[in-house]
Amino acid sequence: MSSQSENDLSCPVCHDIYRDPVILSCSHSFCRFCLQTWWRENLEHNCPLCKKINLSNDPPSNLVLKNLCEAFLLQRDQKASAVSEPLCSLHNEKLKLFCLDHQQPVCVVCRDSRAHKDHRFNPIEEAAQDHRKELQKCLKPLQDKLKVFEQVKGNFDQTAEHIKVQAQQTEKQIKEEFKKLRQFLQKEENTRITALRTEEKQKSQMMKEKTEDLNRKMETLSETIRATEEQLRAEDVVFLQSYKAAVIRVKQRPLLDAPQLVSGALMDVAKHLGNLTYNIWNKMKEMVSYTPVILDPNTAESHLILSEDLTSVTFGERQKVPDNPERFDYYKVVVGSESLDSGIHIWDVEVGEKGTWGFGVVNESFKRKVQALSGYWQLSLQDEKYIVSTTPDTCKFLSVKKLQRVRVQLEYDRGKISFFDLDANTLIHTFKHNFTEKLFPYVGTEKDPVKILPVILKVDEHITPLSTGFWSHFETSKKS
């Protein structure tokens, strides 16, 4: 049937082939369900097309239309079934064979044709089965690769989430550190402002007392001068009568020197402002610390937990962290954030007396995902024995006991790395090697914390004075 016929057999309401069609008195037909739905939504039982009122609440079935629709659906299903089974394009026969030489399905007529003379054939079912196996075999690497990609994507997603967590935690710690600095500076400011106000109050009070004393003396002198000047303006007889007493009163008033400002009366501005920032910085050293080795959390094996200041590491439960290239998988260690490739470097390590730990330096190329047989120089504690080693076969047991604080001294250019017992002030061991790669400090533990100790800060308070040559030059310039 044509597409126009399909339109003629479509319900005006649902626009699909009629299902159980009914006919109204106006001769229009609809699906029974569509008409009932229309009437439920409208108060009057009218025709959805012409709007004429239908008197019957149960319109009769349109049997002719129903039969046409069923025939149409049956024919359409048959066509679809025929299309699903492809035929030979040359002979219009079913494709029952597979030509192994041409690698294509053929019919029995094709098999006997000149085009396929002396060719090999398999039944279509057998060929399909063989080729499915072959294709599945080819598909397997792609499926495996997809699984790898899915794992990598999962790691990427985890890494992206870890980046957010790192940023949030780092921002929080930065704010906390600056909060401490602001509190220190605010306290220092308040202390210095208080000292300034105290000095101002003391010296203002001193000047007030001196001014009040001077005012009293000035008032007494003014009274004497006023009385004497009145006597000078009196008549001669009256003046002479009081002259003797006036002379005595005037001579009894000593002529004191005018009061002068005492030394140190002004504010000691230099004390409050002189080297202000230097003095604050010098005092700040009591609240700040410097650690020569900062551990890199991106390299820490998943069981290791770093302190907030990245100077101490503890062994704990396995954490969900990204499998990034820098991270150790085989060894439970973490390396420093900066490499060393020249000069002398010293750092101190605090360790426990039990468990398993190790520290030293590793090459930049040290393998982190599998066992490495070289590229490290370490001091370790294993089974309550202290060991130094550079490879698994070069272990040397030490006779030292109860190490607590150990100094590591790397002399890169001289090819030496030494370990010292800080508490006993003795050399433990020295490795000698011609270093050619960048080195990273590292620490590792499987129990107790291992900590990089901070360095005690010292600020040189002795400032070189101005040279005497400056003053002699200044005097010479003045004279000239």
Side-chain angles (χ1 to χ4, degrees), residues 282-323:
N282 189 21
K283 191 173 182 180
M284 190 180 290
K285 72 178 186 294
E286 300 174 2
M287 65 167 293
V288 299
S289 63
Y290 172 76
T291 306
V293 173
I294 297 298
L295 303 176
D296 183 358
N298 296 335
T299 67
E301 196 270 343
S302 59
H303 289 85
L304 300 184
I305 303 172
L306 272 62
S307 60
E308 288 188 351
D309 60 359
L310 306 180
T311 62
S312 177
V313 60
T314 307
F315 186 84
E317 296 293 332
R318 186 180 184 90
Q319 305 170 84
K320 292 183 178 180
V321 292
D323 185 22

Coordinates of all heavy atoms in Angstrom, one line a residue, residues 282-323:
N282 N 63.2 40.6 63.9 CA 64.1 39.9 64.8 C 63.3 39.2 65.9 O 63.6 38.1 66.3 CB 65.1 40.9 65.4 CG 66.1 40.2 66.2 OD1 66.4 39.1 66.0 ND2 66.8 41.0 67.1
K283 N 62.2 39.9 66.3 CA 61.4 39.3 67.4 C 60.5 38.2 66.8 O 60.2 37.2 67.5 CB 60.5 40.4 68.0 CG 59.8 39.9 69.3 CD 59.1 41.1 69.9 CE 58.4 40.6 71.2 NZ 57.7 41.7 71.9
M284 N 60.2 38.3 65.5 CA 59.3 37.3 64.9 C 60.0 36.0 64.8 O 59.3 34.9 64.6 CB 58.9 37.8 63.5 CG 57.8 37.0 62.8 SD 57.4 37.6 61.2 CE 56.6 39.2 61.6
K285 N 61.3 35.9 64.8 CA 62.0 34.6 64.7 C 61.6 33.6 65.8 O 61.8 32.4 65.7 CB 63.5 34.8 64.7 CG 64.1 35.2 66.0 CD 65.6 35.3 65.9 CE 66.3 35.6 67.2 NZ 65.9 36.9 67.8
E286 N 61.0 34.2 66.9 CA 60.6 33.3 68.0 C 59.4 32.5 67.6 O 59.1 31.5 68.2 CB 60.3 34.1 69.2 CG 61.5 34.9 69.7 CD 61.2 35.9 70.9 OE1 60.0 35.9 71.3 OE2 62.0 36.6 71.4
M287 N 58.6 33.0 66.6 CA 57.3 32.3 66.3 C 57.4 31.6 64.9 O 56.5 30.9 64.5 CB 56.2 33.2 66.2 CG 56.2 34.3 65.2 SD 54.7 35.2 65.0 CE 53.7 33.9 64.3
V288 N 58.5 31.8 64.2 CA 58.6 31.1 62.9 C 59.8 30.1 62.9 O 60.6 30.2 63.8 CB 58.9 32.1 61.7 CG1 57.7 33.1 61.6 CG2 60.2 32.9 62.0
S289 N 59.7 29.1 62.0 CA 60.7 28.1 61.9 C 61.1 27.9 60.5 O 60.3 28.2 59.6 CB 60.2 26.8 62.6 OG 59.1 26.3 61.9
Y290 N 62.2 27.3 60.3 CA 62.7 27.0 58.9 C 63.1 25.5 58.9 O 64.0 25.1 59.8 CB 63.8 27.9 58.5 CG 64.5 27.4 57.2 CD1 63.8 27.6 56.0 CD2 65.7 26.7 57.2 CE1 64.4 27.2 54.8 CE2 66.3 26.3 56.0 CZ 65.6 26.5 54.8 OH 66.2 26.1 53.6
T291 N 62.6 24.7 58.0 CA 63.0 23.3 57.9 C 63.7 23.2 56.5 O 63.1 23.5 55.5 CB 61.8 22.4 58.0 OG1 61.1 22.7 59.2 CG2 62.2 21.0 58.0
P292 N 64.9 22.7 56.5 CA 65.7 22.6 55.3 C 65.1 21.6 54.2 O 65.4 21.8 53.0 CB 67.1 22.1 55.7 CG 66.9 21.5 57.1 CD 65.7 22.2 57.7
V293 N 64.4 20.6 54.7 CA 63.7 19.7 53.7 C 62.2 19.7 54.0 O 61.8 19.4 55.1 CB 64.3 18.3 53.9 CG1 63.5 17.3 53.1 CG2 65.8 18.2 53.6
I294 N 61.5 20.0 52.9 CA 60.0 19.9 52.9 C 59.6 18.7 52.1 O 60.0 18.6 50.9 CB 59.4 21.2 52.4 CG1 59.8 22.4 53.3 CG2 57.9 21.1 52.3 CD1 59.3 22.3 54.7
L295 N 58.8 17.9 52.7 CA 58.3 16.7 52.0 C 57.3 17.0 51.0 O 56.4 17.8 51.2 CB 57.8 15.6 53.0 CG 58.8 15.3 54.1 CD1 58.2 14.3 55.1 CD2 60.1 14.6 53.5
D296 N 57.3 16.2 49.9 CA 56.3 16.4 48.8 C 55.2 15.4 48.9 O 55.4 14.2 48.7 CB 57.0 16.3 47.4 CG 56.1 16.5 46.2 OD1 54.9 16.8 46.5 OD2 56.6 16.5 45.1
P297 N 54.0 15.9 49.3 CA 52.9 14.9 49.5 C 52.5 14.2 48.2 O 51.9 13.1 48.3 CB 51.7 15.8 50.0 CG 52.1 17.2 49.5 CD 53.6 17.3 49.5
N298 N 52.8 14.7 47.0 CA 52.5 14.1 45.8 C 53.3 12.8 45.5 O 53.0 12.1 44.6 CB 52.6 15.0 44.6 CG 51.6 16.2 44.7 OD1 50.6 16.1 45.3 ND2 51.9 17.3 44.1
T299 N 54.4 12.6 46.3 CA 55.2 11.5 46.1 C 55.0 10.4 47.2 O 55.5 9.3 47.1 CB 56.7 11.9 46.2 OG1 57.0 12.3 47.5 CG2 57.0 13.0 45.2
A300 N 54.2 10.7 48.2 CA 54.0 9.8 49.4 C 53.3 8.5 49.0 O 52.2 8.6 48.3 CB 53.3 10.5 50.5
E301 N 53.8 7.4 49.4 CA 53.1 6.1 49.3 C 51.7 6.2 50.0 O 51.6 7.0 51.0 CB 53.9 5.0 49.8 CG 53.5 3.6 49.4 CD 52.5 3.0 50.3 OE1 52.4 3.5 51.5 OE2 51.8 2.0 49.9
S302 N 50.7 5.5 49.5 CA 49.3 5.7 49.9 C 49.1 5.5 51.4 O 48.1 5.9 52.0 CB 48.4 4.9 49.1 OG 48.7 3.5 49.2
H303 N 50.0 4.7 52.1 CA 49.8 4.5 53.6 C 50.4 5.6 54.4 O 50.2 5.6 55.6 CB 50.4 3.2 54.0 CG 49.7 2.0 53.5 ND1 49.9 1.4 52.2 CD2 48.8 1.2 54.0 CE1 49.2 0.4 52.0 NE2 48.4 0.2 53.1
L304 N 51.2 6.5 53.8 CA 51.9 7.5 54.6 C 51.0 8.8 54.7 O 50.4 9.2 53.8 CB 53.2 7.9 53.9 CG 54.2 6.7 53.7 CD1 55.5 7.2 53.1 CD2 54.4 6.0 55.1
I305 N 51.0 9.3 56.0 CA 50.3 10.5 56.3 C 51.2 11.6 56.7 O 52.0 11.4 57.6 CB 49.3 10.2 57.4 CG1 48.3 9.1 57.1 CG2 48.5 11.5 57.8 CD1 47.5 8.6 58.2
L306 N 51.2 12.7 56.0 CA 52.1 13.8 56.2 C 51.5 14.8 57.2 O 50.3 15.0 57.2 CB 52.5 14.5 54.9 CG 53.7 14.0 54.2 CD1 53.5 12.5 53.8 CD2 54.1 14.8 53.0
S307 N 52.3 15.5 58.0 CA 51.8 16.6 58.9 C 51.5 17.8 58.0 O 51.8 17.9 56.9 CB 52.9 16.9 59.9 OG 54.1 17.4 59.2
E308 N 50.7 18.7 58.7 CA 50.3 19.9 57.9 C 51.4 20.7 57.4 O 51.3 21.3 56.4 CB 49.4 20.7 58.8 CG 48.0 20.1 59.1 CD 47.1 21.0 59.8 OE1 47.5 22.1 60.2 OE2 45.9 20.7 59.9
D309 N 52.5 20.8 58.2 CA 53.7 21.6 57.7 C 54.6 20.8 56.8 O 55.7 21.3 56.5 CB 54.5 22.1 59.0 CG 55.0 21.0 59.8 OD1 54.8 19.8 59.5 OD2 55.7 21.3 60.8
L310 N 54.3 19.5 56.5 CA 55.0 18.7 55.5 C 56.4 18.4 56.0 O 57.4 18.3 55.2 CB 55.1 19.4 54.1 CG 53.7 19.8 53.5 CD1 53.9 20.5 52.2 CD2 52.8 18.6 53.4
T311 N 56.6 18.2 57.3 CA 57.9 17.9 57.8 C 58.0 16.6 58.5 O 59.1 16.1 58.9 CB 58.4 19.0 58.8 OG1 57.5 19.0 59.9 CG2 58.5 20.4 58.1
S312 N 56.8 16.0 58.7 CA 56.7 14.7 59.5 C 55.9 13.7 58.7 O 54.9 14.1 58.1 CB 56.2 14.9 60.9 OG 56.1 13.7 61.6
V313 N 56.2 12.4 58.8 CA 55.4 11.4 58.1 C 55.1 10.2 59.1 O 56.0 9.8 59.9 CB 56.1 10.9 56.9 CG1 57.5 10.3 57.2 CG2 55.3 9.9 56.1
T314 N 53.9 9.7 59.0 CA 53.4 8.6 59.9 C 52.8 7.6 59.0 O 52.2 7.9 58.0 CB 52.4 9.1 60.9 OG1 53.0 10.3 61.6 CG2 52.1 8.1 61.9
F315 N 52.9 6.3 59.4 CA 52.3 5.2 58.7 C 50.8 5.0 59.3 O 50.6 5.0 60.5 CB 53.1 3.9 58.9 CG 52.6 2.8 58.1 CD1 53.0 2.6 56.8 CD2 51.7 1.8 58.7 CE1 52.6 1.5 56.1 CE2 51.3 0.7 57.9 CZ 51.7 0.6 56.6
G316 N 49.9 4.8 58.3 CA 48.5 4.7 58.7 C 47.7 3.8 57.8 O 48.3 3.0 57.0
E317 N 46.4 4.0 57.8 CA 45.5 3.3 56.8 C 45.7 3.8 55.4 O 46.1 4.9 55.2 CB 44.1 3.5 57.2 CG 43.7 2.9 58.6 CD 43.7 1.4 58.6 OE1 43.6 0.8 57.5 OE2 44.0 0.8 59.7
R318 N 45.5 2.9 54.4 CA 45.7 3.2 53.0 C 44.7 4.4 52.7 O 43.5 4.3 53.0 CB 45.4 2.0 52.1 CG 45.7 2.3 50.7 CD 45.5 1.0 49.9 NE 45.8 1.2 48.5 CZ 47.0 0.9 48.0 NH1 48.0 0.5 48.8 NH2 47.3 1.1 46.7
Q319 N 45.2 5.4 52.0 CA 44.4 6.5 51.6 C 44.1 6.5 50.1 O 44.8 5.9 49.3 CB 45.1 7.8 51.9 CG 45.6 8.0 53.3 CD 46.5 9.2 53.5 OE1 46.1 10.3 53.7 NE2 47.8 8.9 53.5
K320 N 42.9 7.1 49.7 CA 42.6 7.2 48.3 C 43.3 8.4 47.7 O 42.9 9.5 47.9 CB 41.1 7.3 48.2 CG 40.3 6.1 48.6 CD 38.8 6.2 48.4 CE 38.0 5.0 48.7 NZ 36.6 5.1 48.5
V321 N 44.4 8.1 47.0 CA 45.1 9.2 46.4 C 45.4 8.8 44.9 O 45.3 7.6 44.5 CB 46.5 9.4 47.1 CG1 46.3 9.9 48.5 CG2 47.3 8.0 47.2
P322 N 45.5 9.8 44.0 CA 45.8 9.5 42.6 C 47.0 8.7 42.4 O 48.0 8.8 43.1 CB 45.9 10.9 42.0 CG 45.2 11.8 43.0 CD 45.4 11.2 44.3
D323 N 47.0 7.9 41.4 CA 48.2 7.1 41.0 C 49.0 7.9 40.0 O 49.2 7.5 38.8 CB 47.8 5.7 40.4 CG 49.0 4.9 40.1 OD1 50.1 5.1 40.7 OD2 48.9 3.9 39.2

